[in-house]
Amino acid sequence: MKPIISLNNVNKEFKLVKRHEGLKGSIHDLFTREYNIIQAVNNISIQVMPGEIVGYLGPNGAGKSTTIKMMTGVLEPTSGEVLVDNIIPYKNRTLHAQKIGVVFGQRTQLWWSLPLIESFKILKDIYQISNATYQDMMKFYESIVDIEPLYHKPVRQMSLGQRTLSDILAAFLHNPKVVFLDEPTIGLDVSMKSKIHDLINAVNREKETTVILTTHDISDVDALCKRIVIIDKGKMIYDEGIDSLKKHFGAYRTIKVKFEGDNNLRLELNRQVVKKLQEFISDKVTIEEDWISILTNEKDKSAMDILNYLQTIHSINDMQILDISTESVIKKIYEEDID
Ligand SMILES: Nc1ncnc2c1ncn2[C@@H]1O[C@H](COP(=O)(O)OP(=O)(O)OP(=O)(O)O)[C@@H](O)[C@H]1O
């Protein structure tokens, strides 16, 4: 099988005019142009197979949106090759736009004053969706989410969650082979996030749609992605299946402990423990409400050793030992703390 998305040695530079301060600087700028070059994407190569859901992650300013913009045809790469379903996106923007779906965070592609069903009908005409495909898709949607109550509601009267849901439905309506979702669950509550996760998983399963997802929300990654690609400062630093990622960090455990006593005593004890543990455990020690949470690598310091030590400080009311969360794994990769 051939990849549906193929990025080979892709670079994107932005050239920004340097501005000097003060009157002298402004006069200098009038006559001499100097530039700063920002390397937003640095030699990225990624192959995505049809039907994959890939989490494209990285800290702020890493270059995620710039990559997505190249994959959607909004930006032309400075060098390298971007191919999506055999199309060079920036060279064939109209054809490409017919074949993909896009959701960019809180920006809606729906018609603000129109009821949702009217927006869908316009999209049906724009994308030249046949009656049969349209009916089929609407039936499929109705079987997985409760959208009928939204059909006659103008988008401007919708809650953020209803609007996001509608936007995602709109992006998948023409049954595109690839959908790009940029921060699709930003600002949503847990129950709406879960509805959206179910929807994306159902469409991916049923229609084999390839999904590229950028997000800062780890619940999106846990619910949707089997593979994550992480970039930082424009460079790819990780490309792994989520299972092997967890195996890689299998020696990490999070120990959570709640001490006996009232809230004030616990707060004081937690503060003391944070101070003491940080002296001999390099990993993360944090206070989470009544609990103290310690991330440790069993190879260096076992969870039992830590628990024994905590018991010498004060009696323990409750405790949990957890495998490392995806969030902690990703944080550790961002910090380039890979063993
Ligand atoms: N049009 C532009 N002109 C100049 N610099 C830009 C432009 N777009 C992005 N950049 C710069 O390129 C780098 C990567 O930005 P990008 O928006 O791709 O990051 P990101 O990973 O999507 O970040 P975030 O998670 O904050 O959305 C940043 O340093 C940014 O300032």
Side-chain angles (χ1 to χ4, degrees):
M1 210 179 351
K2 268 181 64 187
I4 190 149
I5 298 177
S6 178
L7 269 63
N8 294 305
N9 307 108
V10 174
N11 288 286
K12 180 68 195 178
E13 289 175 3
F14 293 108
K15 204 172 165 189
L16 295 179
V17 178
K18 248 190 207 173
R19 304 247 175 244
H20 294 87
E21 281 180 18
L23 181 62
K24 243 174 145 181
S26 304
I27 294 168
H28 174 272
D29 290 344
L30 269 180
F31 296 101
T32 327
R33 284 264 147 138
E34 290 170 28
Y35 296 94
N36 278 328
I37 303 288
I38 295 172
Q39 180 92 30
V41 169
N42 189 345
N43 204 29
I44 297 259
S45 297
I46 307 167
Q47 314 298 320
V48 178
M49 300 309 282
E52 275 195 279
I53 304 185
V54 178
Y56 194 53
L57 315 178
N60 291 126
K64 303 179 295 293
S65 300
T66 306
T67 320
I68 301 286
K69 284 178 188 163
M70 290 190 281
M71 291 195 267
T72 51
V74 176
L75 287 175
E76 179 183 348
T78 310
S79 65
E81 179 192 60
V82 178
L83 275 179
V84 179
D85 199 17
N86 290 320
I87 287 181
I88 300 175
Y90 78 94
K91 281 194 180 164
N92 300 278
R93 282 186 69 167
T94 313
L95 177 62
H96 188 53
Q98 291 276 341
K99 297 176 75 168
I100 60 168
V102 180
V103 174
F104 276 115
Q106 297 187 348
R107 268 167 288 162
T108 183
Q109 59 157 329
L110 299 166
W111 285 263
W112 199 239
S113 304
L114 293 183
L116 181 62
I117 198 74
E118 298 303 324
S119 279
F120 280 4
K121 284 180 189 158
I122 296 175
L123 289 171
K124 175 179 181 291
D125 288 344
I126 290 176
Y127 288 107
Q128 297 171 359
I129 307 170
S130 71
N131 285 336
T133 310
Y134 181 78
Q135 296 304 339
D136 181 53
M137 207 62 186
M138 296 307 277
K139 263 199 200 128
F140 174 59
Y141 281 171
E142 284 161 15
S143 72
I144 44 177
V145 275
D146 187 22
I147 47 164
E148 278 156 286
L150 296 181
Y151 281 162
H152 302 289
K153 206 171 192 180
V155 174
R156 72 180 142 78
Q157 286 176 13
M158 288 183 184
S159 70
L160 176 65
Q162 292 169 336
R163 209 174 71 210
T164 309
L165 185 70
S166 304
D167 256 309
I168 293 175
L169 294 167
F172 283 102
L173 190 66
H174 57 295
N175 198 11
K177 286 192 185 166
V178 184
V179 170
F180 297 93
L181 302 173
D182 194 354
E183 297 281 356
T185 59
I186 198 162
L188 305 186
D189 68 31
V190 179
S191 118
M192 187 49 92
K193 271 186 205 171
S194 156
K195 255 187 213 167
I196 284 175
H197 295 155
D198 290 348
L199 166 69
I200 297 169
N201 274 327
V203 185
N204 164 260
R205 220 174 23 242
E206 198 66 29
K207 310 284 174 189
E208 290 173 7
T209 322
T210 308
V211 177
I212 305 293
L213 165 81
T214 71
T215 184
H216 291 286
D217 187 325
I218 303 303
S219 73
D220 291 346
V221 179
D222 274 329
L224 298 168
C225 307
K226 290 203 176 59
R227 171 182 170 194
I228 60 169
V229 173
I230 301 183
I231 65 164
D232 190 17
K233 301 184 192 81
K235 288 191 182 157
M236 191 161 87
I237 57 169
Y238 221 83
D239 181 1
E240 284 272 2
I242 211 103
D243 292 343
S244 52
L245 192 78
K246 288 239 174 120
K247 256 186 223 149
H248 189 96
F249 288 92
Y252 281 90
R253 299 275 178 283
T254 300
I255 303 134
K256 287 180 142 195
V257 161
K258 191 163 141 187
F259 287 114
E260 294 278 5
D262 63 22
N263 286 351
N264 287 341
L265 176 64
R266 266 204 289 263
L267 196 66
E268 185 45 42
L269 286 165
N270 286 348
R271 279 199 200 120
Q272 274 179 33
V273 170
V274 168
K275 234 172 143 191
K276 283 191 183 151
L277 280 184
Q278 276 170 344
E279 283 165 20
F280 70 93
I281 294 186
S282 56
D283 289 309
K284 295 280 172 296
V285 187
T286 48
I287 297 172
E288 293 166 11
E289 294 181 1
D290 287 352
W291 294 78
I292 183 145
S293 167
I294 301 146
L295 177 69
T296 183
N297 186 342
E298 292 267 348
K299 285 183 207 154
D300 304 332
K301 189 130 270 345
S302 79
M304 280 325 288
D305 283 350
I306 292 174
L307 276 175
N308 288 338
Y309 169 72
L310 293 175
Q311 268 169 340
T312 65
I313 295 183
H314 193 78
S315 44
I316 290 171
N317 172 291
D318 202 356
M319 62 130 217
Q320 296 170 0
I321 299 181
L322 311 165
D323 286 338
I324 190 167
S325 65
T326 314
E327 177 158 23
S328 306
V329 169
I330 290 168
K331 261 192 209 154
K332 291 194 82 58
I333 299 172
Y334 284 5
E335 289 158 8
E336 293 177 279
D337 205 1
I338 304 163
D339 283 340

